[in-house]
Amino acid sequence: MKFTRRANANWKGTGMEGKGTISTQSTTLDNAQLSFKTRFEQGVGTNPEELIAAAHSGCFTMQLSFLLSEAGFVPEDLDTTAKVTFEDGTITLIQLELTGKVPGISEEDFQKTAQKAKEICPISKLLNTEITLAVTLN
């Protein structure tokens, strides 16, 4: 399977005072606000690190669902939070925190399957940073 997705960013002005927008092909983001405040402070809008966290948590969780299904398990609930740490101009860490409810799976098998999902998720493979994973099975 091969496909291409696109997004667009537009920026006007300086890095500190300027403003921009981000839009996605699906229009889920449609001229979402981007600015210095949305990235480095607490402004209204989005930022690249938040978008990476969203992409990584979504990719990892979907990958885990596929692996669990292949192993014969049907997850009732998989909830992943991705925390992206930006430090001195570099993304230095992504922490994935997973809570899952998967009937019939052992703690050990859930841990192993989650680790495999972390390793083979396309977004994990794309990112050149430390990625940790904390897993809770309910």
Side-chain angles (χ1 to χ4, degrees), residues 1 22 36 41 49 52 54-56 60 90 103:
M1 179 183 319
I22 294 177
F36 180 87
E41 297 174 3
E49 292 73 26
I52 290 168
H56 202 184
F60 164 77
T90 301

Side-chain angles (χ1 to χ4, degrees), residues 111-131:
Q111 291 275 348
K112 285 181 185 178
T113 307
Q115 283 295 331
K116 183 175 180 182
K118 180 185 78 110
E119 292 165 11
I120 68 172
C121 155
I123 300 297
S124 291
K125 293 192 290 187
L126 171 72
L127 300 169
N128 183 24
T129 192
E130 179 184 1
I131 301 169

Side-chain angles (χ1 to χ4, degrees), residues 101-117:
K101 185 174 183 182
V102 184
I105 197 167
S106 70
E107 179 79 30
E108 181 181 355
D109 285 344
F110 189 62
Q111 291 275 348
K112 285 181 185 178
T113 307
Q115 283 295 331
K116 183 175 180 182

